[in-house]
Amino acid sequence: MIDETSVRCPSCGAPLSGVNRTAPEQPKTIEELKAWYDAHHLPPEEITRFFIGKNITEPKAFGIYKNGSGDFVVYKNKANGERAIRYQGTDETYAVNELLQRLKAEIVDQKGNRPANVAETPQKKNKRKGCGCAIAFAILMFFAMLVAIFDDSAPNGYYKYQGQEYYHQGSKWFYYDANTDDWYQSDEASKLDKEITDDNAKDYQYYNHSGKNFEETSWYDAGSHSDDSGWDSDSDWDSDSDSWDSDDTDWDSDW
């Protein structure tokens, strides 16, 4: 018997129809990420080049998998075949979120690169009836984008600055105390915001935290992470697979 929440055949891995395809807004496991991928009607992995749960060695590939040592590995294979490791560690939630955010960014880029004359399906034509609401929504999104453009704050996540481990969430910073194995809100948020920005965040991001994870504390707000991107409502792929062109992806950078 196949579980009703399964999105792929356990034997061949093919997508299943007629099953519960409800996916979590913020997947925390590789299996939940697979469900999120399918629920958003994305093209096959061979087209998007995002491989979930697979260690693909060929060029031009993003992926996440669990290795033989129990570590979760998030990687990108560049056009020349060189592999860049984005994360390797035991924090599955963190690893999944790293690939999810990159996938969401790629969806936005692919939609922007899509030809304007892509053929409309009957379903799309019906959606045009609600264009008044769509225009209002577009205006709201425009102002949200303006806020995002002028927001130079670092992404949420783990950081290490001057030997101290921090976690950035929303407008707040938290520091880790190894003596108590716990997290506390920092009173140096303004200083940290000046020192660690969106432009240089990668220089301070930290992937080797050991001890109590910030996600296990009462400070952690999973909603702030899913809301930060503002992309979940815009992550459905509403066109055919041919309009996704992975050659447009930046395959030369580390991420």
Side-chain angles (χ1 to χ4, degrees), residues 30 45 49-67 71-78 81-89 95-96 98-100 102-103 251 253-255:
I30 290 177
E45 58 188 7
R49 307 302 297 169
F50 279 80
F51 297 91
I52 303 172
K54 296 181 180 179
N55 180 17
I56 299 296
T57 57
E58 61 193 49
K60 295 185 178 182
F62 291 95
I64 181 174
Y65 70 99
K66 186 176 182 180
N67 67 18
D71 282 347
F72 296 94
V73 181
V74 182
Y75 64 89
K76 175 184 180 180
N77 297 341
K78 302 181 184 181
E82 176 187 350
R83 169 163 291 194
I85 299 295
R86 178 69 173 181
Y87 171 78
Q88 180 171 344
V96 166
E98 285 294 291
L99 188 63
L100 174 65
R102 184 61 183 84
L103 175 56
W251 293 112
S253 65
D254 286 345
W255 192 242

mmCIF file of all heavy atoms in Angstrom, residues 30 45 49-67 71-78 81-89 95-96 98-100 102-103 251 253-255:
data_model
loop_
_atom_site.group_PDB
_atom_site.id
_atom_site.type_symbol
_atom_site.label_atom_id
_atom_site.label_comp_id
_atom_site.label_asym_id
_atom_site.label_seq_id
_atom_site.Cartn_x
_atom_site.Cartn_y
_atom_site.Cartn_z
ATOM 1 N N ILE A 30 14.231 16.475 3.643
ATOM 2 C CA ILE A 30 14.386 16.240 2.215
ATOM 3 C C ILE A 30 13.075 15.740 1.616
ATOM 4 O O ILE A 30 12.680 16.154 0.527
ATOM 5 C CB ILE A 30 15.528 15.239 1.963
ATOM 6 C CG1 ILE A 30 16.880 15.881 2.281
ATOM 7 C CG2 ILE A 30 15.507 14.741 0.519
ATOM 8 C CD1 ILE A 30 18.074 14.956 2.125
ATOM 9 N N GLU A 45 13.152 17.258 -12.701
ATOM 10 C CA GLU A 45 14.464 17.670 -12.197
ATOM 11 C C GLU A 45 15.518 17.739 -13.297
ATOM 12 O O GLU A 45 16.462 18.539 -13.218
ATOM 13 C CB GLU A 45 14.920 16.709 -11.103
ATOM 14 C CG GLU A 45 14.999 15.265 -11.533
ATOM 15 C CD GLU A 45 15.271 14.308 -10.389
ATOM 16 O OE1 GLU A 45 15.270 14.744 -9.227
ATOM 17 O OE2 GLU A 45 15.508 13.119 -10.669
ATOM 18 N N ARG A 49 17.277 21.106 -13.143
ATOM 19 C CA ARG A 49 18.630 20.794 -12.644
ATOM 20 C C ARG A 49 18.717 20.925 -11.129
ATOM 21 O O ARG A 49 19.803 21.159 -10.592
ATOM 22 C CB ARG A 49 19.698 21.661 -13.338
ATOM 23 C CG ARG A 49 19.653 21.629 -14.850
ATOM 24 C CD ARG A 49 19.814 20.228 -15.389
ATOM 25 N NE ARG A 49 21.122 19.650 -15.058
ATOM 26 C CZ ARG A 49 21.410 18.370 -15.231
ATOM 27 N NH1 ARG A 49 20.496 17.523 -15.676
ATOM 28 N NH2 ARG A 49 22.618 17.915 -14.919
ATOM 29 N N PHE A 50 17.594 20.767 -10.437
ATOM 30 C CA PHE A 50 17.573 20.713 -8.975
ATOM 31 C C PHE A 50 17.243 19.277 -8.576
ATOM 32 O O PHE A 50 16.135 18.790 -8.813
ATOM 33 C CB PHE A 50 16.522 21.672 -8.405
ATOM 34 C CG PHE A 50 16.998 23.095 -8.336
ATOM 35 C CD1 PHE A 50 16.987 23.898 -9.468
ATOM 36 C CD2 PHE A 50 17.458 23.635 -7.141
ATOM 37 C CE1 PHE A 50 17.426 25.207 -9.413
ATOM 38 C CE2 PHE A 50 17.908 24.946 -7.075
ATOM 39 C CZ PHE A 50 17.897 25.742 -8.220
ATOM 40 N N PHE A 51 18.223 18.600 -7.963
ATOM 41 C CA PHE A 51 18.084 17.187 -7.633
ATOM 42 C C PHE A 51 17.974 17.027 -6.118
ATOM 43 O O PHE A 51 18.936 17.276 -5.391
ATOM 44 C CB PHE A 51 19.278 16.408 -8.178
ATOM 45 C CG PHE A 51 19.378 16.448 -9.676
ATOM 46 C CD1 PHE A 51 20.115 17.448 -10.312
ATOM 47 C CD2 PHE A 51 18.716 15.512 -10.457
ATOM 48 C CE1 PHE A 51 20.201 17.490 -11.697
ATOM 49 C CE2 PHE A 51 18.806 15.546 -11.837
ATOM 50 C CZ PHE A 51 19.538 16.545 -12.469
ATOM 51 N N ILE A 52 16.802 16.625 -5.665
ATOM 52 C CA ILE A 52 16.513 16.528 -4.238
ATOM 53 C C ILE A 52 16.666 15.089 -3.774
ATOM 54 O O ILE A 52 15.985 14.191 -4.258
ATOM 55 C CB ILE A 52 15.087 17.033 -3.948
ATOM 56 C CG1 ILE A 52 14.938 18.478 -4.452
ATOM 57 C CG2 ILE A 52 14.772 16.963 -2.459
ATOM 58 C CD1 ILE A 52 13.520 19.003 -4.382
ATOM 59 N N GLY A 53 17.611 14.876 -2.860
ATOM 60 C CA GLY A 53 17.868 13.535 -2.359
ATOM 61 C C GLY A 53 18.833 12.748 -3.220
ATOM 62 O O GLY A 53 18.955 11.531 -3.058
ATOM 63 N N LYS A 54 19.543 13.430 -4.128
ATOM 64 C CA LYS A 54 20.450 12.734 -5.048
ATOM 65 C C LYS A 54 21.813 13.420 -5.097
ATOM 66 O O LYS A 54 21.899 14.646 -5.087
ATOM 67 C CB LYS A 54 19.859 12.699 -6.459
ATOM 68 C CG LYS A 54 18.564 11.909 -6.572
ATOM 69 C CD LYS A 54 18.052 11.913 -7.998
ATOM 70 C CE LYS A 54 16.765 11.120 -8.137
ATOM 71 N NZ LYS A 54 16.256 11.132 -9.527
ATOM 72 N N ASN A 55 22.842 12.603 -5.186
ATOM 73 C CA ASN A 55 24.203 13.101 -5.346
ATOM 74 C C ASN A 55 24.573 12.997 -6.820
ATOM 75 O O ASN A 55 25.115 11.989 -7.270
ATOM 76 C CB ASN A 55 25.176 12.294 -4.482
ATOM 77 C CG ASN A 55 26.608 12.776 -4.627
ATOM 78 O OD1 ASN A 55 26.859 13.874 -5.100
ATOM 79 N ND2 ASN A 55 27.549 11.949 -4.212
ATOM 80 N N ILE A 56 24.260 14.023 -7.573
ATOM 81 C CA ILE A 56 24.531 14.060 -9.007
ATOM 82 C C ILE A 56 25.934 14.614 -9.238
ATOM 83 O O ILE A 56 26.296 15.656 -8.688
ATOM 84 C CB ILE A 56 23.492 14.937 -9.740
ATOM 85 C CG1 ILE A 56 22.083 14.368 -9.538
ATOM 86 C CG2 ILE A 56 23.822 15.046 -11.222
ATOM 87 C CD1 ILE A 56 21.872 12.997 -10.126
ATOM 88 N N THR A 57 26.727 13.932 -10.045
ATOM 89 C CA THR A 57 28.117 14.355 -10.252
ATOM 90 C C THR A 57 28.335 15.086 -11.570
ATOM 91 O O THR A 57 29.404 15.659 -11.776
ATOM 92 C CB THR A 57 29.051 13.133 -10.204
ATOM 93 O OG1 THR A 57 28.640 12.184 -11.197
ATOM 94 C CG2 THR A 57 29.001 12.469 -8.827
ATOM 95 N N GLU A 58 27.356 15.084 -12.450
ATOM 96 C CA GLU A 58 27.542 15.746 -13.737
ATOM 97 C C GLU A 58 27.445 17.261 -13.592
ATOM 98 O O GLU A 58 26.889 17.763 -12.612
ATOM 99 C CB GLU A 58 26.503 15.236 -14.745
ATOM 100 C CG GLU A 58 25.077 15.506 -14.326
ATOM 101 C CD GLU A 58 24.066 14.731 -15.144
ATOM 102 O OE1 GLU A 58 24.253 13.512 -15.303
ATOM 103 O OE2 GLU A 58 23.099 15.349 -15.607
ATOM 104 N N PRO A 59 28.003 18.028 -14.557
ATOM 105 C CA PRO A 59 27.968 19.498 -14.479
ATOM 106 C C PRO A 59 26.548 20.047 -14.492
ATOM 107 O O PRO A 59 25.596 19.363 -14.873
ATOM 108 C CB PRO A 59 28.744 19.932 -15.733
ATOM 109 C CG PRO A 59 29.577 18.749 -16.101
ATOM 110 C CD PRO A 59 28.764 17.553 -15.724
ATOM 111 N N LYS A 60 26.437 21.305 -14.060
ATOM 112 C CA LYS A 60 25.183 22.044 -14.066
ATOM 113 C C LYS A 60 24.106 21.330 -13.251
ATOM 114 O O LYS A 60 23.125 20.803 -13.790
ATOM 115 C CB LYS A 60 24.693 22.283 -15.491
ATOM 116 C CG LYS A 60 25.619 23.175 -16.316
ATOM 117 C CD LYS A 60 25.015 23.480 -17.685
ATOM 118 C CE LYS A 60 25.905 24.413 -18.485
ATOM 119 N NZ LYS A 60 25.327 24.766 -19.804
ATOM 120 N N ALA A 61 24.289 21.339 -11.958
ATOM 121 C CA ALA A 61 23.318 20.682 -11.084
ATOM 122 C C ALA A 61 23.364 21.289 -9.687
ATOM 123 O O ALA A 61 24.442 21.587 -9.165
ATOM 124 C CB ALA A 61 23.584 19.184 -11.006
ATOM 125 N N PHE A 62 22.183 21.492 -9.117
ATOM 126 C CA PHE A 62 22.035 21.808 -7.699
ATOM 127 C C PHE A 62 21.505 20.546 -7.029
ATOM 128 O O PHE A 62 20.784 19.762 -7.653
ATOM 129 C CB PHE A 62 21.023 22.934 -7.477
ATOM 130 C CG PHE A 62 21.475 24.283 -7.953
ATOM 131 C CD1 PHE A 62 21.121 24.747 -9.211
ATOM 132 C CD2 PHE A 62 22.243 25.103 -7.137
ATOM 133 C CE1 PHE A 62 21.521 25.999 -9.658
ATOM 134 C CE2 PHE A 62 22.649 26.363 -7.571
ATOM 135 C CZ PHE A 62 22.295 26.805 -8.830
ATOM 136 N N GLY A 63 21.810 20.364 -5.753
ATOM 137 C CA GLY A 63 21.267 19.182 -5.105
ATOM 138 C C GLY A 63 21.455 19.153 -3.611
ATOM 139 O O GLY A 63 22.194 19.957 -3.029
ATOM 140 N N ILE A 64 20.773 18.211 -2.998
ATOM 141 C CA ILE A 64 20.892 17.943 -1.571
ATOM 142 C C ILE A 64 20.748 16.442 -1.366
ATOM 143 O O ILE A 64 19.929 15.792 -2.026
ATOM 144 C CB ILE A 64 19.817 18.709 -0.752
ATOM 145 C CG1 ILE A 64 19.972 18.429 0.751
ATOM 146 C CG2 ILE A 64 18.414 18.347 -1.230
ATOM 147 C CD1 ILE A 64 19.037 19.267 1.620
ATOM 148 N N TYR A 65 21.565 15.882 -0.483
ATOM 149 C CA TYR A 65 21.464 14.458 -0.180
ATOM 150 C C TYR A 65 22.095 14.206 1.186
ATOM 151 O O TYR A 65 22.776 15.074 1.748
ATOM 152 C CB TYR A 65 22.171 13.619 -1.253
ATOM 153 C CG TYR A 65 23.680 13.731 -1.243
ATOM 154 C CD1 TYR A 65 24.471 12.762 -0.627
ATOM 155 C CD2 TYR A 65 24.324 14.813 -1.851
ATOM 156 C CE1 TYR A 65 25.853 12.861 -0.618
ATOM 157 C CE2 TYR A 65 25.706 14.920 -1.850
ATOM 158 C CZ TYR A 65 26.469 13.941 -1.227
ATOM 159 O OH TYR A 65 27.834 14.049 -1.219
ATOM 160 N N LYS A 66 21.864 13.030 1.719
ATOM 161 C CA LYS A 66 22.459 12.615 2.993
ATOM 162 C C LYS A 66 23.546 11.604 2.674
ATOM 163 O O LYS A 66 23.291 10.575 2.041
ATOM 164 C CB LYS A 66 21.395 11.987 3.900
ATOM 165 C CG LYS A 66 21.901 11.666 5.298
ATOM 166 C CD LYS A 66 20.763 11.137 6.168
ATOM 167 C CE LYS A 66 21.226 10.861 7.599
ATOM 168 N NZ LYS A 66 20.118 10.355 8.446
ATOM 169 N N ASN A 67 24.782 11.897 3.108
ATOM 170 C CA ASN A 67 25.890 11.009 2.777
ATOM 171 C C ASN A 67 26.011 9.857 3.758
ATOM 172 O O ASN A 67 25.238 9.750 4.727
ATOM 173 C CB ASN A 67 27.209 11.801 2.674
ATOM 174 C CG ASN A 67 27.666 12.371 4.003
ATOM 175 O OD1 ASN A 67 27.229 11.948 5.075
ATOM 176 N ND2 ASN A 67 28.565 13.339 3.947
ATOM 177 N N ASP A 71 25.811 13.160 7.263
ATOM 178 C CA ASP A 71 25.769 14.598 7.012
ATOM 179 C C ASP A 71 24.835 14.902 5.844
ATOM 180 O O ASP A 71 24.729 14.121 4.889
ATOM 181 C CB ASP A 71 27.158 15.137 6.664
ATOM 182 C CG ASP A 71 28.031 15.312 7.885
ATOM 183 O OD1 ASP A 71 27.494 15.257 9.015
ATOM 184 O OD2 ASP A 71 29.249 15.501 7.718
ATOM 185 N N PHE A 72 24.188 16.069 5.926
ATOM 186 C CA PHE A 72 23.380 16.553 4.818
ATOM 187 C C PHE A 72 24.254 17.495 3.992
ATOM 188 O O PHE A 72 24.878 18.405 4.527
ATOM 189 C CB PHE A 72 22.134 17.272 5.326
ATOM 190 C CG PHE A 72 21.207 16.348 6.075
ATOM 191 C CD1 PHE A 72 21.280 16.241 7.458
ATOM 192 C CD2 PHE A 72 20.292 15.564 5.398
ATOM 193 C CE1 PHE A 72 20.450 15.374 8.150
ATOM 194 C CE2 PHE A 72 19.456 14.692 6.081
ATOM 195 C CZ PHE A 72 19.538 14.600 7.460
ATOM 196 N N VAL A 73 24.295 17.254 2.694
ATOM 197 C CA VAL A 73 25.180 18.000 1.810
ATOM 198 C C VAL A 73 24.348 18.775 0.794
ATOM 199 O O VAL A 73 23.495 18.202 0.109
ATOM 200 C CB VAL A 73 26.147 17.065 1.064
ATOM 201 C CG1 VAL A 73 27.078 17.875 0.162
ATOM 202 C CG2 VAL A 73 26.935 16.214 2.057
ATOM 203 N N VAL A 74 24.584 20.081 0.733
ATOM 204 C CA VAL A 74 23.946 20.935 -0.264
ATOM 205 C C VAL A 74 25.045 21.386 -1.220
ATOM 206 O O VAL A 74 26.067 21.925 -0.778
ATOM 207 C CB VAL A 74 23.274 22.158 0.390
ATOM 208 C CG1 VAL A 74 22.580 23.011 -0.670
ATOM 209 C CG2 VAL A 74 22.276 21.714 1.453
ATOM 210 N N TYR A 75 24.866 21.164 -2.499
ATOM 211 C CA TYR A 75 25.954 21.399 -3.440
ATOM 212 C C TYR A 75 25.473 22.061 -4.723
ATOM 213 O O TYR A 75 24.276 22.111 -5.030
ATOM 214 C CB TYR A 75 26.632 20.076 -3.785
ATOM 215 C CG TYR A 75 25.726 19.099 -4.518
ATOM 216 C CD1 TYR A 75 25.631 19.100 -5.907
ATOM 217 C CD2 TYR A 75 24.948 18.176 -3.808
ATOM 218 C CE1 TYR A 75 24.799 18.216 -6.579
ATOM 219 C CE2 TYR A 75 24.106 17.281 -4.465
ATOM 220 C CZ TYR A 75 24.038 17.312 -5.853
ATOM 221 O OH TYR A 75 23.198 16.447 -6.504
ATOM 222 N N LYS A 76 26.454 22.572 -5.450
ATOM 223 C CA LYS A 76 26.226 23.077 -6.806
ATOM 224 C C LYS A 76 27.378 22.614 -7.676
ATOM 225 O O LYS A 76 28.544 22.832 -7.338
ATOM 226 C CB LYS A 76 26.158 24.604 -6.819
ATOM 227 C CG LYS A 76 26.049 25.195 -8.232
ATOM 228 C CD LYS A 76 26.089 26.709 -8.199
ATOM 229 C CE LYS A 76 25.983 27.298 -9.605
ATOM 230 N NZ LYS A 76 26.015 28.783 -9.578
ATOM 231 N N ASN A 77 27.075 21.954 -8.764
ATOM 232 C CA ASN A 77 28.087 21.578 -9.746
ATOM 233 C C ASN A 77 28.095 22.647 -10.834
ATOM 234 O O ASN A 77 27.082 22.865 -11.506
ATOM 235 C CB ASN A 77 27.784 20.213 -10.362
ATOM 236 C CG ASN A 77 27.819 19.104 -9.326
ATOM 237 O OD1 ASN A 77 28.388 19.263 -8.253
ATOM 238 N ND2 ASN A 77 27.200 17.977 -9.654
ATOM 239 N N LYS A 78 29.220 23.311 -11.009
ATOM 240 C CA LYS A 78 29.323 24.390 -11.983
ATOM 241 C C LYS A 78 29.380 23.840 -13.408
ATOM 242 O O LYS A 78 29.422 22.628 -13.628
ATOM 243 C CB LYS A 78 30.559 25.235 -11.686
ATOM 244 C CG LYS A 78 30.582 25.850 -10.294
ATOM 245 C CD LYS A 78 31.844 26.680 -10.109
ATOM 246 C CE LYS A 78 31.944 27.222 -8.697
ATOM 247 N NZ LYS A 78 33.173 28.052 -8.510
ATOM 248 N N GLY A 81 32.128 21.487 -14.160
ATOM 249 C CA GLY A 81 32.146 20.252 -13.387
ATOM 250 C C GLY A 81 32.639 20.415 -11.964
ATOM 251 O O GLY A 81 32.527 19.488 -11.156
ATOM 252 N N GLU A 82 33.200 21.593 -11.625
ATOM 253 C CA GLU A 82 33.686 21.830 -10.272
ATOM 254 C C GLU A 82 32.512 21.883 -9.293
ATOM 255 O O GLU A 82 31.476 22.470 -9.581
ATOM 256 C CB GLU A 82 34.453 23.151 -10.211
ATOM 257 C CG GLU A 82 34.933 23.537 -8.823
ATOM 258 C CD GLU A 82 35.533 24.936 -8.790
ATOM 259 O OE1 GLU A 82 35.738 25.517 -9.871
ATOM 260 O OE2 GLU A 82 35.764 25.454 -7.682
ATOM 261 N N ARG A 83 32.688 21.243 -8.148
ATOM 262 C CA ARG A 83 31.614 21.223 -7.137
ATOM 263 C C ARG A 83 31.878 22.264 -6.053
ATOM 264 O O ARG A 83 32.975 22.361 -5.506
ATOM 265 C CB ARG A 83 31.481 19.847 -6.503
ATOM 266 C CG ARG A 83 30.577 19.831 -5.265
ATOM 267 C CD ARG A 83 30.117 18.451 -4.874
ATOM 268 N NE ARG A 83 29.191 17.886 -5.849
ATOM 269 C CZ ARG A 83 28.437 16.802 -5.613
ATOM 270 N NH1 ARG A 83 28.502 16.172 -4.446
ATOM 271 N NH2 ARG A 83 27.625 16.333 -6.528
ATOM 272 N N ALA A 84 30.848 23.048 -5.747
ATOM 273 C CA ALA A 84 30.897 24.000 -4.640
ATOM 274 C C ALA A 84 29.945 23.506 -3.559
ATOM 275 O O ALA A 84 28.754 23.301 -3.822
ATOM 276 C CB ALA A 84 30.492 25.393 -5.115
ATOM 277 N N ILE A 85 30.453 23.276 -2.365
ATOM 278 C CA ILE A 85 29.616 22.819 -1.247
ATOM 279 C C ILE A 85 29.045 24.028 -0.527
ATOM 280 O O ILE A 85 29.784 24.854 0.010
ATOM 281 C CB ILE A 85 30.426 21.964 -0.255
ATOM 282 C CG1 ILE A 85 30.984 20.720 -0.961
ATOM 283 C CG2 ILE A 85 29.551 21.556 0.937
ATOM 284 C CD1 ILE A 85 29.923 19.761 -1.454
ATOM 285 N N ARG A 86 27.742 24.139 -0.529
ATOM 286 C CA ARG A 86 27.079 25.243 0.169
ATOM 287 C C ARG A 86 26.974 24.954 1.664
ATOM 288 O O ARG A 86 27.139 25.828 2.498
ATOM 289 C CB ARG A 86 25.680 25.445 -0.420
ATOM 290 C CG ARG A 86 24.857 26.545 0.246
ATOM 291 C CD ARG A 86 25.422 27.902 -0.046
ATOM 292 N NE ARG A 86 24.524 28.951 0.473
ATOM 293 C CZ ARG A 86 24.755 30.243 0.336
ATOM 294 N NH1 ARG A 86 25.830 30.656 -0.311
ATOM 295 N NH2 ARG A 86 23.908 31.124 0.819
ATOM 296 N N TYR A 87 26.666 23.704 1.993
ATOM 297 C CA TYR A 87 26.560 23.301 3.397
ATOM 298 C C TYR A 87 26.810 21.807 3.518
ATOM 299 O O TYR A 87 26.390 21.030 2.671
ATOM 300 C CB TYR A 87 25.177 23.637 3.961
ATOM 301 C CG TYR A 87 24.934 23.055 5.342
ATOM 302 C CD1 TYR A 87 25.475 23.651 6.474
ATOM 303 C CD2 TYR A 87 24.184 21.894 5.510
ATOM 304 C CE1 TYR A 87 25.271 23.123 7.734
ATOM 305 C CE2 TYR A 87 23.972 21.356 6.769
ATOM 306 C CZ TYR A 87 24.525 21.972 7.881
ATOM 307 O OH TYR A 87 24.343 21.439 9.132
ATOM 308 N N GLN A 88 27.485 21.425 4.590
ATOM 309 C CA GLN A 88 27.631 20.014 4.944
ATOM 310 C C GLN A 88 27.617 19.913 6.454
ATOM 311 O O GLN A 88 28.455 20.498 7.141
ATOM 312 C CB GLN A 88 28.930 19.417 4.393
ATOM 313 C CG GLN A 88 29.097 17.937 4.761
ATOM 314 C CD GLN A 88 30.250 17.276 4.043
ATOM 315 O OE1 GLN A 88 30.766 17.796 3.061
ATOM 316 N NE2 GLN A 88 30.657 16.115 4.527
ATOM 317 N N GLY A 89 26.630 19.219 6.982
ATOM 318 C CA GLY A 89 26.504 19.092 8.428
ATOM 319 C C GLY A 89 25.287 18.265 8.794
ATOM 320 O O GLY A 89 24.636 17.660 7.945
ATOM 321 N N ALA A 95 19.946 22.751 5.987
ATOM 322 C CA ALA A 95 20.365 22.325 4.655
ATOM 323 C C ALA A 95 19.214 22.448 3.661
ATOM 324 O O ALA A 95 19.383 22.964 2.549
ATOM 325 C CB ALA A 95 20.870 20.882 4.711
ATOM 326 N N VAL A 96 18.036 21.991 4.056
ATOM 327 C CA VAL A 96 16.868 22.053 3.185
ATOM 328 C C VAL A 96 16.527 23.501 2.846
ATOM 329 O O VAL A 96 16.217 23.839 1.699
ATOM 330 C CB VAL A 96 15.664 21.351 3.852
ATOM 331 C CG1 VAL A 96 14.361 21.698 3.135
ATOM 332 C CG2 VAL A 96 15.868 19.839 3.856
ATOM 333 N N GLU A 98 18.525 26.047 2.697
ATOM 334 C CA GLU A 98 19.511 26.614 1.779
ATOM 335 C C GLU A 98 19.128 26.312 0.325
ATOM 336 O O GLU A 98 19.152 27.200 -0.529
ATOM 337 C CB GLU A 98 20.899 26.053 2.087
ATOM 338 C CG GLU A 98 21.541 26.631 3.318
ATOM 339 C CD GLU A 98 21.862 28.103 3.167
ATOM 340 O OE1 GLU A 98 22.762 28.447 2.377
ATOM 341 O OE2 GLU A 98 21.201 28.918 3.837
ATOM 342 N N LEU A 99 18.782 25.057 0.040
ATOM 343 C CA LEU A 99 18.429 24.704 -1.335
ATOM 344 C C LEU A 99 17.070 25.289 -1.714
ATOM 345 O O LEU A 99 16.867 25.725 -2.856
ATOM 346 C CB LEU A 99 18.411 23.183 -1.515
ATOM 347 C CG LEU A 99 18.246 22.726 -2.977
ATOM 348 C CD1 LEU A 99 19.430 23.192 -3.827
ATOM 349 C CD2 LEU A 99 18.099 21.218 -3.070
ATOM 350 N N LEU A 100 16.142 25.322 -0.763
ATOM 351 C CA LEU A 100 14.811 25.865 -1.045
ATOM 352 C C LEU A 100 14.901 27.323 -1.481
ATOM 353 O O LEU A 100 14.263 27.737 -2.454
ATOM 354 C CB LEU A 100 13.925 25.734 0.192
ATOM 355 C CG LEU A 100 12.545 26.397 0.098
ATOM 356 C CD1 LEU A 100 11.700 25.710 -0.975
ATOM 357 C CD2 LEU A 100 11.836 26.344 1.444
ATOM 358 N N ARG A 102 17.422 28.881 -2.794
ATOM 359 C CA ARG A 102 18.048 28.983 -4.117
ATOM 360 C C ARG A 102 17.075 28.575 -5.204
ATOM 361 O O ARG A 102 17.054 29.168 -6.299
ATOM 362 C CB ARG A 102 19.302 28.097 -4.170
ATOM 363 C CG ARG A 102 20.073 28.231 -5.481
ATOM 364 C CD ARG A 102 20.549 29.643 -5.684
ATOM 365 N NE ARG A 102 21.232 29.837 -6.963
ATOM 366 C CZ ARG A 102 20.598 30.074 -8.115
ATOM 367 N NH1 ARG A 102 19.264 30.142 -8.148
ATOM 368 N NH2 ARG A 102 21.280 30.268 -9.231
ATOM 369 N N LEU A 103 16.256 27.564 -4.929
ATOM 370 C CA LEU A 103 15.255 27.127 -5.891
ATOM 371 C C LEU A 103 14.217 28.216 -6.126
ATOM 372 O O LEU A 103 13.829 28.498 -7.269
ATOM 373 C CB LEU A 103 14.583 25.841 -5.392
ATOM 374 C CG LEU A 103 13.411 25.300 -6.227
ATOM 375 C CD1 LEU A 103 13.823 25.076 -7.676
ATOM 376 C CD2 LEU A 103 12.881 24.010 -5.610
ATOM 377 N N TRP A 251 25.831 29.345 -13.885
ATOM 378 C CA TRP A 251 26.526 28.126 -13.496
ATOM 379 C C TRP A 251 27.988 28.368 -13.157
ATOM 380 O O TRP A 251 28.727 27.423 -12.882
ATOM 381 C CB TRP A 251 26.436 27.076 -14.602
ATOM 382 C CG TRP A 251 25.054 26.556 -14.823
ATOM 383 C CD1 TRP A 251 24.258 26.754 -15.906
ATOM 384 C CD2 TRP A 251 24.294 25.766 -13.908
ATOM 385 N NE1 TRP A 251 23.039 26.141 -15.727
ATOM 386 C CE2 TRP A 251 23.032 25.517 -14.512
ATOM 387 C CE3 TRP A 251 24.537 25.239 -12.638
ATOM 388 C CZ2 TRP A 251 22.052 24.773 -13.896
ATOM 389 C CZ3 TRP A 251 23.553 24.487 -12.016
ATOM 390 C CH2 TRP A 251 22.330 24.265 -12.639
ATOM 391 N N SER A 253 29.117 30.859 -10.807
ATOM 392 C CA SER A 253 29.322 31.302 -9.424
ATOM 393 C C SER A 253 29.241 30.124 -8.475
ATOM 394 O O SER A 253 28.797 29.031 -8.836
ATOM 395 C CB SER A 253 28.268 32.345 -9.044
ATOM 396 O OG SER A 253 26.977 31.753 -9.039
ATOM 397 N N ASP A 254 29.679 30.351 -7.226
ATOM 398 C CA ASP A 254 29.649 29.270 -6.229
ATOM 399 C C ASP A 254 28.235 28.910 -5.827
ATOM 400 O O ASP A 254 27.975 27.799 -5.347
ATOM 401 C CB ASP A 254 30.446 29.670 -4.996
ATOM 402 C CG ASP A 254 31.939 29.614 -5.250
ATOM 403 O OD1 ASP A 254 32.350 29.004 -6.244
ATOM 404 O OD2 ASP A 254 32.699 30.197 -4.444
ATOM 405 N N TRP A 255 27.297 29.853 -5.953
ATOM 406 C CA TRP A 255 25.925 29.576 -5.551
ATOM 407 C C TRP A 255 24.938 30.412 -6.328
ATOM 408 O O TRP A 255 24.031 29.961 -6.919
ATOM 409 C CB TRP A 255 25.762 29.839 -4.064
ATOM 410 C CG TRP A 255 24.470 29.326 -3.491
ATOM 411 C CD1 TRP A 255 23.458 30.062 -2.909
ATOM 412 C CD2 TRP A 255 23.985 27.963 -3.424
ATOM 413 N NE1 TRP A 255 22.416 29.257 -2.491
ATOM 414 C CE2 TRP A 255 22.719 27.970 -2.791
ATOM 415 C CE3 TRP A 255 24.524 26.758 -3.848
ATOM 416 C CZ2 TRP A 255 21.965 26.801 -2.569
ATOM 417 C CZ3 TRP A 255 23.786 25.591 -3.631
ATOM 418 C CH2 TRP A 255 22.526 25.611 -2.999
#
